[in-house]
Amino acid sequence: MDEKDQILLEDESATKMSMKRSAQHSKLVPWMRKTEYISTEFNRFGITADRQETKLGYNLKKNQQVEDMYRDKQSQIDAINKTFEDVRKPVKEHHTKKGMKPVEECFIFPDFKHWQYLFTHVQFDGDTITSDIPEEEKKQAQESSIIKAMNVDDKQFAAVFVPTIECLTNYMDDLELERPYDPDRKYEFLLSREYDWKMEQVPPRDRDAFVFYYRDGIFQYDEIDSNVKMTRRRKMYMSRKSKMMVTYREFNEEEKAEMDKRTAELYEQPKTRKQEMLERVQEEEEN
């Protein structure tokens, strides 16, 4: 996040305290003097020390210029409004790389239709398909594969199931009929590989990874909710002939409420760590 935007999102009370504390430290006290060093190394502790201190003070002053921009709420509002004015200015060249010029400008919007779903970035350590699927159908099979958490003989792992050729044909029929699925049909999948996984949940305030795509004439994006690293198991717990039958259904009321909540969070500012800690303490006190 840009440094200026980060300061705009901070609590106003914290900014006031920081300004007040900085004002106290910047006061000049006539009866105080700088520390003098006694040493034979004059080049290190003589005039050079003053010059180093001068340079250090200059850098500190330079870094505080951003904080001085937002001394009150009105200056913050003006800075926010300025961002809307800046975005209307045409981009003529790259901000850091000389010689690079833009070819096209376009807007990027959140994917309002699919924001209700959770998106996970999954990293595999190799090809996920082991079955004999023709090369032309392989990409579609990878996109239609299902990752399922398994528990066999108290052993927990993740399994990747790949659709059969018949299942891919059924998916194509659904696409031609413009329907998400056939409720009276069972879609067949075959076990491809087994994996050990490591999952990292990303809090809303720390999410900085997104997926971008072009759809319906505009560029859209969704945020990545979590990261998962999959490590292939050499020795599989289940038989390679294992199958999984999938029947699709409508979302129930609980699932719809959870998706509506995620859609509503799109228009809310993520909670800070301090707010989350206070809410956690309040919940513990109530319980």
Side-chain angles (χ1 to χ4, degrees), residues 68-131:
D68 294 341
M69 293 175 61
Y70 313 119
R71 290 187 175 276
D72 52 24
K73 179 173 285 189
Q74 185 58 42
S75 63
Q76 295 182 17
I77 296 175
D78 295 339
I80 294 173
N81 290 333
K82 187 176 183 301
T83 61
F84 292 99
E85 298 174 2
D86 293 341
V87 78
R88 295 189 181 96
K89 298 178 182 178
V91 180
K92 297 182 179 180
E93 59 183 6
H94 198 274
H95 64 290
T96 57
K97 298 180 181 179
K98 294 183 178 180
M100 293 190 65
K101 297 182 179 180
V103 178
E104 181 185 358
E105 291 185 36
C106 60
F107 293 102
I108 300 178
F109 296 99
D111 187 353
F112 301 103
K113 181 178 180 182
H114 298 93
W115 197 270
Q116 59 185 343
Y117 304 112
L118 292 176
F119 287 83
T120 301
H121 180 216
V122 183
Q123 294 177 289
F124 294 95
D125 60 353
D127 194 354
T128 58
I129 295 182
T130 58
S131 55

Side-chain angles (χ1 to χ4, degrees), residues 79-199:
I80 294 173
N81 290 333
K82 187 176 183 301
T83 61
F84 292 99
E85 298 174 2
D86 293 341
V87 78
R88 295 189 181 96
K89 298 178 182 178
V91 180
K92 297 182 179 180
E93 59 183 6
H94 198 274
H95 64 290
T96 57
K97 298 180 181 179
K98 294 183 178 180
M100 293 190 65
K101 297 182 179 180
V103 178
E104 181 185 358
E105 291 185 36
C106 60
F107 293 102
I108 300 178
F109 296 99
D111 187 353
F112 301 103
K113 181 178 180 182
H114 298 93
W115 197 270
Q116 59 185 343
Y117 304 112
L118 292 176
F119 287 83
T120 301
H121 180 216
V122 183
Q123 294 177 289
F124 294 95
D125 60 353
D127 194 354
T128 58
I129 295 182
T130 58
S131 55
D132 297 330
I133 297 180
E135 196 64 31
E136 53 271 15
E137 283 90 13
K138 191 172 183 179
K139 182 178 180 181
Q140 184 182 356
Q142 288 176 327
E143 295 176 351
S144 304
S145 299
I146 294 178
I147 304 174
K148 183 174 176 57
M150 308 295 294
N151 191 338
V152 178
D153 297 333
D154 296 331
K155 302 292 184 180
Q156 294 184 351
F157 57 95
V160 174
F161 290 87
V162 178
T164 61
I165 298 297
E166 182 182 358
C167 181
L168 291 175
T169 304
N170 295 334
Y171 278 144
M172 294 300 296
D173 294 339
D174 296 336
L175 188 62
E176 291 179 1
L177 296 174
E178 297 182 353
R179 64 186 181 188
Y181 57 85
D182 184 356
D184 299 326
R185 187 190 300 274
K186 290 185 177 181
Y187 298 82
E188 185 180 40
F189 291 78
L190 296 176
L191 176 65
S192 180
R193 291 191 185 278
E194 294 179 1
Y195 293 86
D196 293 322
W197 80 92
K198 182 179 180 181
M199 185 173 184

